[in-house]
Amino acid sequence: MKKLLAITAVLCALAGAATAQDSSSNQVLSTIAIGSCNRQEAPQVIWPNIANKNPELWVWLGDNIYGDSEDLNVLKTKYELQKNNPAYKKFTSEIPVIGIWDDHDYGVNDGGKEYPKKKESKELMFNFLDVPANHPARKREGAFQSYEYGVDGKRVKIILLDIRYFREELHRENGRYELNWDGKILGEKQWAWLEKELTDSNADMHIIGSGIQFIVQEHPYEKWGNFPKERQRMLDLVVKTQPKNVLFLSGDRHISEVASMYVPGYGKVFDFTSSGMTHSFESSTELNAFRISDLITQKSFGLMQIDWQGENTSVNCQMFSPEGSLIDEVTIKWDKR
Protein backbone atom coordinates (compact mmCIF):
# COMPACT_ATOMS: atom_id res chain seq x y z
CA MET A 1 0.00 0.00 0.00
CA LYS A 2 3.12 2.20 -0.36
CA LYS A 3 2.77 4.21 2.85
CA LEU A 4 -0.92 4.90 2.32
CA LEU A 5 -1.36 5.75 6.00
CA ALA A 6 1.48 8.25 6.04
CA ILE A 7 0.33 9.89 2.80
CA THR A 8 -3.22 10.20 4.11
CA ALA A 9 -1.93 11.77 7.31
CA VAL A 10 0.03 14.37 5.39
CA LEU A 11 -2.95 15.21 3.18
CA CYS A 12 -5.15 15.70 6.24
CA ALA A 13 -2.57 17.97 7.82
CA LEU A 14 -2.29 20.02 4.64
CA ALA A 15 -6.08 20.32 4.53
CA GLY A 16 -5.98 21.91 7.98
CA ALA A 17 -7.71 19.15 9.94
CA ALA A 18 -9.36 20.73 13.00
CA THR A 19 -7.63 18.58 15.58
CA ALA A 20 -4.92 19.15 18.17
CA GLN A 21 -2.60 16.44 16.88
CA ASP A 22 0.14 17.02 14.32
CA SER A 23 -1.41 14.84 11.60
CA SER A 24 -4.31 12.46 11.18
CA SER A 25 -5.73 9.64 9.09
CA ASN A 26 -9.10 7.91 8.92
CA GLN A 27 -7.38 4.51 8.68
CA VAL A 28 -8.53 2.26 11.54
CA LEU A 29 -5.60 0.49 13.19
CA SER A 30 -5.97 -3.08 14.40
CA THR A 31 -2.32 -4.24 14.29
CA ILE A 32 0.67 -2.09 15.28
CA ALA A 33 4.24 -3.41 15.28
CA ILE A 34 6.91 -1.91 17.54
CA GLY A 35 10.58 -2.33 18.35
CA SER A 36 13.85 -0.76 19.41
CA CYS A 37 17.57 -1.36 19.78
CA ASN A 38 18.64 -2.10 16.23
CA ARG A 39 22.28 -2.15 15.19
CA GLN A 40 22.44 -1.01 11.60
CA GLU A 41 25.46 -3.17 10.79
CA ALA A 42 23.83 -6.36 12.16
CA PRO A 43 21.90 -8.79 9.93
CA GLN A 44 18.43 -7.30 9.31
CA VAL A 45 16.60 -10.64 9.16
CA ILE A 46 13.69 -9.37 11.24
CA TRP A 47 11.89 -7.19 8.67
CA PRO A 48 10.15 -9.78 6.45
CA ASN A 49 8.95 -11.58 9.57
CA ILE A 50 7.44 -8.37 10.96
CA ALA A 51 5.79 -7.74 7.59
CA ASN A 52 4.31 -11.24 7.67
CA LYS A 53 2.25 -10.19 10.71
CA ASN A 54 0.49 -7.63 8.48
CA PRO A 55 0.84 -4.54 10.68
CA GLU A 56 -0.78 -1.33 9.51
CA LEU A 57 1.96 0.71 11.19
CA TRP A 58 5.51 0.36 12.49
CA VAL A 59 6.64 2.46 15.48
CA TRP A 60 10.34 2.90 16.24
CA LEU A 61 10.92 3.32 20.00
CA GLY A 62 14.53 4.44 19.94
CA ASP A 63 18.05 3.25 19.31
CA ASN A 64 16.88 2.88 15.73
CA ILE A 65 20.55 3.00 14.84
CA TYR A 66 23.65 3.12 17.02
CA GLY A 67 25.13 6.48 16.11
CA ASP A 68 27.01 7.50 19.26
CA SER A 69 28.94 10.38 17.74
CA GLU A 70 29.13 14.15 17.53
CA ASP A 71 30.28 13.77 13.95
CA LEU A 72 27.17 14.35 11.81
CA ASN A 73 28.72 12.53 8.87
CA VAL A 74 29.04 9.43 11.04
CA LEU A 75 25.38 9.67 12.11
CA LYS A 76 24.24 10.29 8.54
CA THR A 77 26.23 7.36 7.19
CA LYS A 78 24.77 5.01 9.79
CA TYR A 79 21.22 6.16 9.07
CA GLU A 80 21.83 5.66 5.35
CA LEU A 81 23.14 2.15 5.97
CA GLN A 82 19.93 1.26 7.78
CA LYS A 83 17.59 3.05 5.38
CA ASN A 84 19.16 1.47 2.31
CA ASN A 85 19.25 -2.06 3.70
CA PRO A 86 17.25 -4.07 1.13
CA ALA A 87 15.04 -5.82 3.71
CA TYR A 88 14.23 -2.59 5.55
CA LYS A 89 13.76 -0.69 2.29
CA LYS A 90 11.18 -3.24 1.12
CA PHE A 91 9.45 -3.08 4.50
CA THR A 92 9.12 0.70 4.44
CA SER A 93 7.82 0.64 0.88
CA GLU A 94 4.83 -1.39 2.11
CA ILE A 95 4.22 -0.31 5.71
CA PRO A 96 4.03 3.23 7.16
CA VAL A 97 6.70 4.12 9.72
CA ILE A 98 6.77 6.66 12.54
CA GLY A 99 9.14 6.86 15.49
CA ILE A 100 11.16 8.64 18.13
CA TRP A 101 14.76 8.37 19.25
CA ASP A 102 16.42 7.23 22.43
CA ASP A 103 20.06 7.80 23.33
CA HIS A 104 22.22 5.97 20.79
CA ASP A 105 20.44 7.41 17.76
CA TYR A 106 20.28 10.78 19.54
CA GLY A 107 24.05 10.67 19.50
CA VAL A 108 25.36 9.82 22.97
CA ASN A 109 24.78 6.97 25.39
CA ASP A 110 22.37 7.98 28.19
CA GLY A 111 22.62 11.57 26.96
CA GLY A 112 20.43 14.58 27.56
CA LYS A 113 20.24 18.28 26.81
CA GLU A 114 24.02 18.73 27.00
CA TYR A 115 24.56 16.95 23.66
CA PRO A 116 25.89 19.72 21.37
CA LYS A 117 24.57 18.36 18.05
CA LYS A 118 20.95 17.74 19.07
CA LYS A 119 19.38 20.12 16.54
CA GLU A 120 21.28 18.61 13.65
CA SER A 121 20.69 15.08 14.95
CA LYS A 122 16.95 15.74 15.04
CA GLU A 123 16.97 16.65 11.35
CA LEU A 124 18.86 13.47 10.49
CA MET A 125 16.34 11.35 12.38
CA PHE A 126 13.38 13.08 10.76
CA ASN A 127 14.96 12.58 7.34
CA PHE A 128 15.43 8.89 8.14
CA LEU A 129 11.76 8.64 9.15
CA ASP A 130 10.59 10.64 6.12
CA VAL A 131 8.81 13.16 8.33
CA PRO A 132 7.31 15.66 5.85
CA ALA A 133 9.10 18.97 5.47
CA ASN A 134 5.97 20.88 6.55
CA HIS A 135 5.24 18.70 9.60
CA PRO A 136 4.86 20.86 12.75
CA ALA A 137 7.51 18.82 14.58
CA ARG A 138 10.12 20.06 12.10
CA LYS A 139 9.58 23.64 13.27
CA ARG A 140 9.85 23.30 17.05
CA GLU A 141 12.58 22.52 19.54
CA GLY A 142 12.72 18.81 20.29
CA ALA A 143 11.52 15.79 18.32
CA PHE A 144 8.12 15.15 19.93
CA GLN A 145 5.22 14.33 17.59
CA SER A 146 1.62 13.12 17.57
CA TYR A 147 -0.50 11.18 15.10
CA GLU A 148 -4.16 10.22 15.12
CA TYR A 149 -5.69 7.30 13.23
CA GLY A 150 -9.20 5.94 12.85
CA VAL A 151 -12.80 7.05 13.17
CA ASP A 152 -15.17 7.69 16.09
CA GLY A 153 -15.23 4.69 18.39
CA LYS A 154 -11.98 3.33 16.91
CA ARG A 155 -9.66 6.30 17.18
CA VAL A 156 -6.02 5.91 18.29
CA LYS A 157 -3.77 8.82 19.20
CA ILE A 158 -0.04 8.05 19.20
CA ILE A 159 2.09 10.54 21.11
CA LEU A 160 5.86 10.25 20.75
CA LEU A 161 7.71 12.05 23.53
CA ASP A 162 11.29 13.33 23.33
CA ILE A 163 13.02 12.28 26.55
CA ARG A 164 16.50 13.40 25.37
CA TYR A 165 16.51 16.94 23.99
CA PHE A 166 15.49 18.68 27.25
CA ARG A 167 16.49 16.06 29.81
CA GLU A 168 18.62 17.25 32.72
CA GLU A 169 21.60 15.41 34.09
CA LEU A 170 21.85 12.14 35.95
CA HIS A 171 24.70 10.89 38.12
CA ARG A 172 25.71 7.26 38.40
CA GLU A 173 27.08 5.74 41.56
CA ASN A 174 28.19 2.10 41.76
CA GLY A 175 26.34 1.22 38.57
CA ARG A 176 23.02 2.79 39.65
CA TYR A 177 21.61 6.14 38.62
CA GLU A 178 20.89 8.39 41.57
CA LEU A 179 17.46 10.00 41.74
CA ASN A 180 17.28 13.54 40.41
CA TRP A 181 14.44 14.82 42.55
CA ASP A 182 14.12 18.21 40.91
CA GLY A 183 15.35 17.32 37.44
CA LYS A 184 13.30 17.65 34.25
CA ILE A 185 12.82 15.23 31.36
CA LEU A 186 10.41 16.89 28.94
CA GLY A 187 10.88 20.63 29.38
CA GLU A 188 8.04 23.09 29.87
CA LYS A 189 7.17 23.58 26.19
CA GLN A 190 6.81 19.85 25.67
CA TRP A 191 4.72 19.52 28.83
CA ALA A 192 2.38 22.28 27.64
CA TRP A 193 2.09 20.61 24.23
CA LEU A 194 1.39 17.22 25.84
CA GLU A 195 -1.33 18.64 28.08
CA LYS A 196 -3.05 20.13 25.05
CA GLU A 197 -2.78 16.86 23.16
CA LEU A 198 -4.49 14.99 26.00
CA THR A 199 -7.02 17.69 26.93
CA ASP A 200 -8.29 18.22 23.39
CA SER A 201 -8.33 14.55 22.47
CA ASN A 202 -11.41 12.58 21.50
CA ALA A 203 -9.39 9.42 20.86
CA ASP A 204 -10.53 6.05 22.19
CA MET A 205 -6.96 4.93 22.95
CA HIS A 206 -3.84 6.92 23.80
CA ILE A 207 -0.46 5.35 23.09
CA ILE A 208 2.48 7.29 24.56
CA GLY A 209 5.93 6.26 23.35
CA SER A 210 8.90 7.66 25.23
CA GLY A 211 11.91 5.41 24.70
CA ILE A 212 12.69 4.66 28.36
CA GLN A 213 10.36 2.69 30.64
CA PHE A 214 7.69 4.60 32.51
CA ILE A 215 6.20 2.29 35.13
CA VAL A 216 9.11 0.24 36.49
CA GLN A 217 10.89 1.45 39.64
CA GLU A 218 13.44 -1.20 40.63
CA HIS A 219 16.21 -1.55 38.06
CA PRO A 220 19.30 0.74 38.25
CA TYR A 221 19.29 1.90 34.62
CA GLU A 222 17.55 4.72 32.77
CA LYS A 223 13.83 5.09 33.48
CA TRP A 224 11.24 7.76 34.26
CA GLY A 225 11.56 6.76 37.91
CA ASN A 226 15.01 8.41 38.06
CA PHE A 227 13.10 11.72 37.90
CA PRO A 228 10.39 11.20 40.55
CA LYS A 229 8.68 14.58 40.10
CA GLU A 230 8.48 14.15 36.33
CA ARG A 231 7.00 10.68 36.66
CA GLN A 232 4.45 11.94 39.16
CA ARG A 233 3.70 14.92 36.92
CA MET A 234 2.79 12.51 34.13
CA LEU A 235 0.48 10.57 36.42
CA ASP A 236 -1.12 13.79 37.66
CA LEU A 237 -1.64 14.91 34.05
CA VAL A 238 -3.36 11.64 33.20
CA VAL A 239 -5.69 12.13 36.17
CA LYS A 240 -6.33 15.75 35.24
CA THR A 241 -7.05 15.19 31.55
CA GLN A 242 -8.67 11.72 31.81
CA PRO A 243 -7.63 10.41 28.36
CA LYS A 244 -9.20 7.09 27.45
CA ASN A 245 -7.13 3.91 27.65
CA VAL A 246 -3.51 4.96 28.23
CA LEU A 247 -0.76 2.62 27.08
CA PHE A 248 2.90 3.62 27.38
CA LEU A 249 5.43 2.16 24.94
CA SER A 250 9.12 1.87 25.69
CA GLY A 251 12.32 0.31 24.44
CA ASP A 252 15.92 0.81 25.62
CA ARG A 253 16.30 -2.13 27.97
CA HIS A 254 17.21 -4.99 25.58
CA ILE A 255 14.40 -6.96 27.20
CA SER A 256 10.66 -7.13 26.57
CA GLU A 257 7.82 -7.13 29.09
CA VAL A 258 4.40 -5.73 29.89
CA ALA A 259 3.72 -3.83 33.13
CA SER A 260 0.54 -2.51 34.71
CA MET A 261 -0.20 -0.08 37.54
CA TYR A 262 -3.31 1.43 39.08
CA VAL A 263 -3.44 5.22 39.17
CA PRO A 264 -5.80 6.62 41.86
CA GLY A 265 -8.34 8.92 40.27
CA TYR A 266 -7.88 7.32 36.85
CA GLY A 267 -7.54 3.53 36.78
CA LYS A 268 -5.08 1.18 35.11
CA VAL A 269 -2.28 2.24 32.78
CA PHE A 270 0.12 -0.13 31.03
CA ASP A 271 3.68 -0.09 29.69
CA PHE A 272 4.68 -2.39 26.83
CA THR A 273 8.46 -2.60 26.49
CA SER A 274 9.78 -4.08 23.24
CA SER A 275 13.54 -3.99 23.00
CA GLY A 276 16.38 -5.90 21.48
CA MET A 277 15.79 -6.36 17.75
CA THR A 278 19.39 -7.26 16.90
CA HIS A 279 20.84 -7.90 20.39
CA SER A 280 19.42 -8.46 23.86
CA PHE A 281 20.26 -8.64 27.57
CA GLU A 282 20.16 -12.43 27.77
CA SER A 283 21.40 -12.64 31.35
CA SER A 284 18.92 -10.12 32.76
CA THR A 285 17.08 -11.08 35.93
CA GLU A 286 15.90 -7.56 36.75
CA LEU A 287 12.91 -7.05 38.98
CA ASN A 288 9.71 -5.24 38.11
CA ALA A 289 6.92 -5.48 40.68
CA PHE A 290 4.45 -4.20 38.06
CA ARG A 291 5.31 -6.86 35.46
CA ILE A 292 2.34 -8.91 34.21
CA SER A 293 4.16 -10.86 31.49
CA ASP A 294 7.24 -13.01 31.45
CA LEU A 295 10.62 -11.26 31.38
CA ILE A 296 11.75 -11.79 27.79
CA THR A 297 15.53 -11.68 27.46
CA GLN A 298 15.88 -12.90 23.89
CA LYS A 299 15.80 -10.75 20.77
CA SER A 300 12.27 -9.75 19.81
CA PHE A 301 9.80 -7.34 18.26
CA GLY A 302 6.38 -6.40 19.57
CA LEU A 303 2.88 -6.54 18.12
CA MET A 304 -0.29 -4.93 19.44
CA GLN A 305 -3.54 -6.50 18.28
CA ILE A 306 -6.41 -4.13 19.10
CA ASP A 307 -9.86 -5.57 19.72
CA TRP A 308 -12.45 -2.90 19.01
CA GLN A 309 -15.43 -5.28 19.26
CA GLY A 310 -15.78 -5.87 22.98
CA GLU A 311 -17.60 -3.72 25.52
CA ASN A 312 -14.20 -2.51 26.72
CA THR A 313 -11.26 -1.91 24.38
CA SER A 314 -8.50 -4.48 24.78
CA VAL A 315 -5.06 -5.04 23.27
CA ASN A 316 -3.20 -8.30 22.92
CA CYS A 317 0.47 -7.42 23.47
CA GLN A 318 2.60 -10.04 21.75
CA MET A 319 6.36 -10.61 21.70
CA PHE A 320 7.87 -12.43 18.73
CA SER A 321 11.35 -13.74 17.95
CA PRO A 322 13.15 -12.21 14.95
CA GLU A 323 12.10 -15.33 13.04
CA GLY A 324 8.44 -14.61 13.80
CA SER A 325 7.72 -17.21 16.52
CA LEU A 326 5.47 -16.16 19.40
CA ILE A 327 7.40 -15.93 22.69
CA ASP A 328 4.79 -14.48 25.06
CA GLU A 329 1.53 -12.55 24.99
CA VAL A 330 -0.63 -10.66 27.47
CA THR A 331 -4.07 -9.20 26.84
CA ILE A 332 -4.61 -5.87 28.55
CA LYS A 333 -8.00 -4.29 29.17
CA TRP A 334 -9.00 -1.00 30.68
CA ASP A 335 -12.03 -0.28 32.82
CA LYS A 336 -14.98 1.09 30.88
CA ARG A 337 -14.79 4.89 30.70
Side-chain angles (χ1 to χ4, degrees):
M1 57 185 167
K2 194 72 175 178
K3 293 195 175 180
L4 177 60
L5 258 173
I7 293 170
T8 304
V10 173
L11 290 175
C12 288
L14 288 173
T19 51
Q21 73 282 346
D22 291 335
S23 56
S24 61
S25 165
N26 290 329
Q27 173 71 45
V28 174
L29 298 181
S30 60
T31 305
I32 304 171
I34 62 174
S36 67
C37 301
N38 176 76
R39 291 193 181 277
Q40 67 282 345
E41 76 279 3
Q44 301 286 310
V45 299
I46 200 167
W47 298 108
N49 297 312
I50 301 173
N52 286 340
K53 305 301 179 184
N54 299 311
E56 292 113 358
L57 183 68
W58 168 260
V59 184
W60 281 110
L61 294 171
D63 297 338
N64 311 324
I65 61 162
Y66 278 68
D68 296 301
S69 177
E70 294 181 12
D71 186 331
L72 297 176
N73 287 324
V74 170
L75 290 177
K76 184 178 180 181
T77 298
K78 291 182 176 182
Y79 271 125
E80 288 174 346
L81 178 61
Q82 179 61 41
K83 192 167 186 175
N84 292 320
N85 176 275
Y88 181 69
K89 197 169 185 177
K90 183 176 188 301
F91 181 87
T92 58
S93 73
E94 299 169 348
I95 297 166
V97 173
I98 61 174
I100 191 64
W101 57 22
D102 193 30
D103 53 343
H104 294 287
D105 40 355
Y106 179 61
V108 58
N109 183 44
D110 292 0
K113 68 178 186 179
E114 74 285 350
Y115 178 61
K117 298 294 185 179
K118 59 187 180 181
K119 291 184 179 180
E120 297 88 346
S121 179
K122 169 191 162 181
E123 293 306 309
L124 291 176
M125 179 184 69
F126 278 4
N127 292 341
F128 169 71
L129 295 170
D130 292 320
V131 175
N134 64 338
H135 194 283
R138 289 272 194 179
K139 301 168 186 170
R140 59 188 174 227
E141 287 286 295
F144 50 97
Q145 314 144 59
S146 75
Y147 302 87
E148 192 167 292
Y149 304 91
V151 297
D152 289 347
K154 298 180 180 180
R155 197 180 302 277
V156 176
K157 175 172 277 193
I158 300 178
I159 296 171
L160 301 176
L161 297 179
D162 185 344
I163 50 83
R164 294 295 165 190
Y165 201 98
F166 307 98
R167 200 214 73 187
E168 295 179 348
E169 62 183 343
L170 282 172
H171 296 288
R172 206 168 195 168
E173 188 70 29
N174 298 322
R176 171 177 284 274
Y177 279 112
E178 298 177 341
L179 300 184
N180 186 338
W181 286 96
D182 296 315
K184 303 292 178 63
I185 295 178
L186 299 187
E188 289 306 315
K189 289 184 179 179
Q190 188 173 186
W191 274 117
W193 172 87
L194 176 59
E195 181 166 352
K196 181 173 176 59
E197 289 291 327
L198 296 177
T199 300
D200 293 348
S201 178
N202 63 352
D204 303 285
M205 183 184 303
H206 294 80
I207 296 174
I208 303 175
S210 69
I212 59 174
Q213 290 182 304
F214 179 76
I215 290 180
V216 66
Q217 296 276 53
E218 289 96 330
H219 70 62
Y221 312 109
E222 286 200 288
K223 57 186 181 294
W224 275 79
N226 293 334
F227 296 84
K229 287 186 178 179
E230 290 284 273
R231 183 177 183 272
Q232 187 60 48
R233 184 172 180 176
M234 178 68 78
L235 296 175
D236 291 344
L237 184 60
V238 167
V239 173
K240 177 182 178 181
T241 58
Q242 294 290 310
K244 290 182 180 178
N245 303 334
V246 173
L247 168 60
F248 291 93
L249 297 181
S250 53
D252 179 61
R253 291 294 312 113
H254 307 278
I255 58 96
S256 294
E257 62 182 1
V258 181
S260 173
M261 70 177 293
Y262 178 80
V263 181
Y266 177 79
K268 288 182 179 179
V269 299
F270 300 90
D271 190 348
F272 185 6
T273 303
S274 181
S275 178
M277 294 172 64
T278 59
H279 55 296
S280 63
F281 189 3
E282 295 183 358
S283 62
S284 175
T285 58
E286 61 198 54
L287 300 176
N288 182 355
F290 299 100
R291 185 185 298 135
I292 58 173
S293 69
D294 291 340
L295 170 63
I296 305 304
T297 61
Q298 66 191 85
K299 291 180 285 189
S300 68
F301 66 91
L303 208 69
M304 296 182 288
Q305 302 274 11
I306 305 172
D307 181 3
W308 294 112
Q309 304 305 316
E311 183 179 355
N312 296 355
T313 301
S314 65
V315 179
N316 190 21
C317 299
Q318 300 175 312
M319 291 156 266
F320 289 92
S321 72
E323 295 73 32
S325 299
L326 182 65
I327 305 170
D328 192 24
E329 61 183 334
V330 174
T331 298
I332 63 175
K333 184 178 291 190
W334 296 267
D335 298 331
K336 187 173 178 61
R337 305 190 66 79

